[in-house]
Amino acid sequence: MKQVKIASIGSYVPPKIMTNDDLSKLVDTNDEWITTRTGIKERRISEGENTSDLGAKAAIKALEKASLTPEEIDLIVVATSSPDALSPSTAVYIQSKIGAFNAACFDISAACSGFIYALNVAAQFIKTGQSKKALVVGAEVLSKVTDWTDRNTCVLFGDGAGAAVLMPSEEKGIASIFNGADGRKTEFLTLGCVPVKNPLVKPEKLEDFKISMDGREVFRFASGIILEAIDKVLKDTGYSLDDVKYIVPHQANYRIIEFAAKKLGAANDKFYVNLQNYGNTSAASIPIALDEMVEKGLLQKGDKIILVAFGAGFTWSVALVEWSF
Ligand code: UT7
């Protein structure tokens, strides 16, 4: 079996910034509540670009950084909860926009855990030799499925995309990776339901495609699973937390991150946090954070980092990565 590395990272967020004060003009909220309860100060909101547009821009940046042409990519896996269409996949729209016509394409639906799920799937393609150069994209335009009248949710989310090129490697690269789910908790975080509707069945209620969430239940799940997941990759690799330079968590709420740091006995700044600038961008949050860390020079070849995410389903995912560039 081959080993797999992240060869490059790229990201793109739409230029339009929506601040907490802007939101207070839409719903009954204020900067103080949003900042103290979540850590979020502002988020990017699409002014028309769809999920594949953001994903394609992030993908082009990742390809440039890996010095690859789009034709060299043989697989595109997109993690998203806000696809351009139910079918075809957002991956094929991205393929078409970047001209990667030699790539097999499909999407993964694992909510905020999606990027690490997609990394795992693409890594398996590479390990078996099915893929030589894969593009993994996390992209979301959550603003199109946000209920802009619900202050419980509309203050949390933002739009954005990140992409990674995966390649076979002589070094460890993705040293350990796991995905999980608990389907008993589906109702606590959903984005629209598709009831059976045909000449034989008339559903009582046709739901709109909007995010609906029980924030406290998600918070409870996230605070527990983040610790279990980190423990799992540490045990699997035999590394200790001291060996790990950064933990890059899904960017949902600063209080969840603070809680995890305290429980682990780690300094808060061991966790990379940029949710103050982007809010929760679901499947895009981890690759956007990674790209920012690379740009800031925080990651060097050989650094060990943990990526960890949780989200609707409930789902969770975790990876320990030995940085490759
Ligand atoms: O990617 C995974 C996605 N989701 C998450 O990670 C979310 C995890 N959960 C959370 O981040 C937090 O539960 C929230 C930030 C969503 C909410 O924070 P909380 O401390 O759990 O607040 P709460 O839901 O218990 O609400 C407290 C109060 C309520 O008022 P009452 O009933 O105490 O009078 C809410 O109505 O805050 C009120 N509230 C707001 N007030 C001002 C809720 N949203 C707002 C708001 N502005 N935007």
Side-chain angles (χ1 to χ4, degrees):
M1 281 284 196
K2 295 178 175 61
Q3 307 197 80
V4 183
K5 68 175 176 186
I6 296 177
S8 72
I9 286 273
S11 70
Y12 173 78
V13 290
K16 179 70 185 171
I17 294 172
M18 191 181 273
T19 64
N20 292 346
D21 285 338
D22 294 333
L23 274 167
S24 69
K25 291 172 195 134
L26 296 177
V27 288
D28 181 14
T29 191
N30 54 70
D31 176 52
E32 204 262 331
W33 191 96
I34 302 171
T35 305
T36 53
R37 298 283 176 139
T38 72
I40 299 164
K41 297 297 281 183
E42 58 188 42
R43 68 288 292 143
R44 302 300 180 96
I45 300 294
S46 168
E47 292 181 286
E49 290 180 295
N50 212 336
T51 305
S52 66
D53 297 312
L54 308 192
K57 287 182 178 172
I60 287 167
K61 289 187 186 176
L63 289 176
E64 280 169 4
K65 289 185 194 173
S67 302
L68 293 176
T69 62
E71 294 81 9
E72 290 178 88
I73 294 295
D74 54 28
L75 174 68
I76 302 176
V77 185
V78 176
T80 186
S81 297
S82 49
D84 288 26
L86 283 178
S87 183
S89 66
T90 302
V92 288
Y93 287 114
I94 291 177
Q95 188 217 49
S96 164
K97 283 172 185 168
I98 68 174
F101 296 112
N102 296 315
C105 295
F106 59 92
D107 289 359
I108 281 187
S109 171
C112 305
S113 314
F115 183 74
I116 307 172
Y117 262 78
L119 269 188
N120 200 359
V121 171
Q124 306 306 323
F125 270 71
I126 291 178
K127 281 185 185 168
T128 60
Q130 277 270 315
S131 168
K132 303 259 177 310
K133 294 180 179 72
L135 197 54
V136 176
V137 182
E140 305 282 6
V141 177
L142 293 171
S143 59
K144 67 183 176 181
V145 288
T146 295
D147 180 349
W148 289 100
T149 64
D150 177 13
R151 69 175 183 173
N152 291 294
T153 54
C154 76
V155 301
L156 304 175
F157 299 103
D159 300 335
V165 171
L166 295 197
M167 292 185 359
S169 164
E170 297 304 318
E171 307 123 36
K172 252 187 192 160
I174 300 174
S176 177
I177 186 161
F178 294 101
N179 308 121
D182 184 351
R184 288 165 295 194
K185 308 276 173 62
T186 51
E187 79 267 26
F188 295 127
L189 182 49
T190 55
L191 199 176
C193 294
V194 187
V196 180
K197 177 177 166 281
N198 60 33
L200 306 180
V201 183
K202 288 185 181 46
E204 276 175 24
K205 195 169 145 226
L206 276 179
E207 287 198 38
D208 203 0
F209 278 82
K210 296 286 179 245
I211 296 169
S212 154
M213 181 178 75
D214 182 329
R216 286 183 194 184
E217 286 292 342
V218 181
F219 199 105
R220 194 169 299 136
F221 170 74
S223 310
I225 203 67
I226 199 169
L227 301 171
E228 281 179 40
I230 289 169
D231 188 52
K232 200 167 170 65
V233 280
L234 288 177
K235 285 212 171 97
D236 189 48
T237 53
Y239 293 131
S240 76
L241 198 58
D242 288 340
D243 297 320
V244 173
K245 188 170 180 191
Y246 284 108
I247 298 171
V248 188
H250 167 49
Q251 307 284 315
N253 185 322
Y254 188 64
R255 282 158 56 214
I256 295 173
I257 295 167
E258 242 177 359
F259 172 85
K262 195 168 165 204
K263 284 277 174 192
L264 289 168
N268 282 356
D269 62 7
K270 190 160 189 127
F271 284 76
Y272 187 77
V273 179
N274 67 358
L275 57 85
Q276 65 280 7
N277 300 326
Y278 305 112
N280 177 345
T281 57
S282 193
S285 81
I286 287 179
I288 291 173
L290 286 175
D291 191 31
E292 216 174 73
M293 292 170 80
V294 172
E295 291 298 315
K296 287 182 178 170
L298 297 177
L299 296 177
Q300 316 301 328
K301 192 172 160 61
D303 284 345
K304 296 172 189 68
I305 60 170
I306 291 177
L307 318 179
V308 60
F310 50 85
F314 290 142
T315 54
W316 60 269
S317 54
V318 65
L320 195 150
V321 177
E322 300 197 16
W323 203 247
S324 305
F325 61 94

